């Protein structure tokens, strides 16, 4: 077994080297990664193993993901338990990573009946639950220039960052931030798309929020719930369980979330598992569960 000291430094070396996929890796990082079995010898030097970074175009996202893992691991080692206690640099690192999810949301929206057209129409509206430092909200506002994005969060400190994020992306006029627990949502027929990261919001809040989110959607609008991808081995499952205990997120699988959406009254409930590799090792591309608020014509006459 690798010592804890060496394992932490291998991860740090991977983060530092991840953008060098096409070139010779610089020493002494190359030496560390070669000794860990993560490189292949190439012309004139070591390169990261083929397939280690599944899509080299996402190197920056992978790098952000590893940086985030290291920061969160430091917090976990000190016993830090919830979002409110996370220091700003962890919140900002989470934001940098989840902001890259805007293209994933857009790609998934393209496969959900009517949603892409709605999001490009004047008056389009998106709800971003657990907006954090607002990177996803700003990313969605940038991708959908007709849309207004409402970001909800319970943490004033996160919302203060989110306000700066929207300014920095030049979308402040279309990003509206609100301090609110999603469990108290009372909006009616207000949104075409609602984003709900179940792995970051407590299960009790999600249970109460689902019927409220249904009412908050416009008829024909969609909820997209993100769920942590299931781990493949015992260590991965144990790590995932600990991460969820630390973040307080709902511990459900995609199928369990799908059942809850159906029970809450969503129709057309579908599970989408985007190709892994757009996220980062250990953080991973989430699985998305979609559910639609039925249109009046879809409701059978009594
Ligand atoms: C991982 S962060 C989201 C990252 C975000 N997409 C970004 O760009 O920074 C999860 C956020 O969910 C918020 N949250 C947790 N429970 C919530 C609830 N019941 N209602 C609203 N926000 C909640 C947390 O305060 C935290 O800021």
């Amino acid at each position: 077994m690798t010592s804890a000291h060496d394992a932490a430094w291998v991860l740090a070396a991977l983060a530092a080297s991840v953008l060098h996929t096409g070139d010779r890796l610089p020493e002494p990082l190359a030496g560390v990664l070669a000794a860990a079995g993560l490189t292949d010898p190439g012309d004139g030097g070591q390169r990261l193993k083929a397939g280690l970074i599944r899509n080299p175009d996402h190197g920056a996202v992978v790098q952000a993901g590893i940086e985030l893992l290291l920061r969160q691991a430091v917090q976990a080692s000190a016993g830090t338990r919830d979002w409110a206690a996370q220091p700003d640099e962890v919140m900002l690192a989470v934001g940098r990573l989840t902001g890259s999810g805007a293209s994933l949301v857009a790609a998934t929206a393209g496969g959900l009946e009517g949603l892409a057209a709605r999001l490009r129409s004047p008056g389009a509206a998106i709800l971003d639950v657990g907006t954090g430092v607002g990177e996803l909200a700003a990313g969605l506002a940038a991708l959908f220039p007709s849309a207004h994005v409402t970001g909800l969060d319970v943490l004033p400190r996160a919302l203060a960052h989110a306000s700066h994020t929207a300014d920095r992306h030049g979308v402040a006029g279309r990003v509206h931030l609100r301090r609110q627990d999603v469990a108290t949502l009372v909006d009616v027929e207000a949104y075409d798309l609602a984003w709900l990261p179940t792995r970051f919001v407590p299960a009790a809040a999600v249970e109460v929020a689902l019927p409220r989110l249904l009412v908050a959607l416009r008829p024909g609008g969609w909820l997209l719930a993100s769920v942590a991808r299931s781990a493949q081995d015992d260590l991965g499952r144990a790590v995932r369980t600990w991460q969820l205990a630390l973040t307080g997120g709902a511990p459900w699988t995609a199928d369990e979330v799908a059942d809850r959406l159906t029970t809450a009254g969503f129709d057309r409930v579908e599970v989408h598992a985007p190709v892994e590799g757009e996220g980062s090792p250990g953080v991973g591309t989430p699985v998305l569960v979609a559910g639609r608020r039925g249109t009046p014509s879809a409701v059978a006459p009594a």
Side-chain angles (χ1 to χ4, degrees), residues 71 88 109 112 125 158 165 217 263:
R71 289 185 188 280
D88 281 14
L112 298 175
T165 303
L217 284 168
T263 304

Side-chain angles (χ1 to χ4, degrees), residues 13-294:
L14 188 58
S17 302
V18 105
L19 293 178
H20 293 276
T21 43
D23 305 313
R24 225 181 97 176
L25 285 169
E27 289 292 352
L29 297 179
V32 173
L33 294 168
L38 298 180
T39 59
D40 286 324
D43 294 343
Q46 300 284 332
R47 293 175 181 195
L48 286 181
K49 263 192 188 307
L52 187 64
I53 309 301
R54 290 197 189 91
N55 185 343
D57 291 345
H58 291 101
V61 177
V62 175
Q63 191 179 49
I66 299 174
E67 180 204 336
L68 172 61
L69 283 178
L70 290 167
R71 289 185 188 280
Q72 286 183 317
V74 169
Q75 295 305 312
S77 69
T80 304
R81 281 198 60 86
D82 55 20
W83 280 114
Q86 297 294 335
D88 281 14
E89 63 265 25
V90 170
M91 279 191 189
L92 292 166
V94 172
R96 279 196 290 282
L97 193 67
T98 61
S100 66
S103 53
L104 188 67
V105 173
T108 308
L112 298 175
E113 190 185 306
L115 185 56
R118 280 168 172 266
L119 294 177
R120 297 204 151 75
S121 304
I126 300 173
L127 177 68
D128 176 30
V129 174
T131 199
V133 300
E135 291 285 353
L136 180 63
L140 289 171
L143 275 179
F144 298 106
S146 307
H148 283 250
V149 182
T150 298
L152 292 191
D153 209 289
V154 288
L155 291 182
R157 191 159 53 94
L159 291 169
H161 281 296
S163 175
H164 290 301
T165 303
D167 275 342
R168 185 160 38 80
H169 288 263
V171 293
R174 290 186 293 111
V175 172
H176 315 286
L177 300 166
R178 208 195 289 167
R179 183 181 175 192
Q180 185 175 16
D181 187 323
V182 65
T184 68
L185 190 70
V186 289
D187 297 349
V188 177
E189 298 195 0
Y191 306 105
D192 300 289
L193 169 67
W195 170 257
L196 175 69
T198 61
R199 56 189 176 151
F200 299 129
V201 177
V206 176
E207 294 271 21
V208 176
L210 284 177
R212 291 170 179 258
L213 285 162
L214 183 71
V215 172
L217 284 168
R218 295 171 174 159
W222 287 84
L223 173 74
L224 264 184
S226 72
V227 182
R229 199 170 279 260
S230 298
Q232 300 302 318
D233 55 24
D234 287 347
L235 177 59
R237 275 186 285 277
V239 168
R240 189 64 46 84
T241 303
W242 192 31
Q243 284 175 330
L244 282 169
L246 289 166
T247 60
W252 305 318
T253 63
D255 287 344
E256 288 167 338
V257 171
D259 286 347
R260 283 176 164 81
L261 260 58
T262 304
T263 304
F266 289 86
D267 73 2
R268 310 277 296 274
V269 175
E270 311 169 7
V271 175
H272 293 254
V275 178
E276 267 272 66
E278 296 203 354
S280 58
V283 177
T285 308
V287 176
L288 302 181
V289 183
R292 192 183 69 155
R293 175 170 177 177

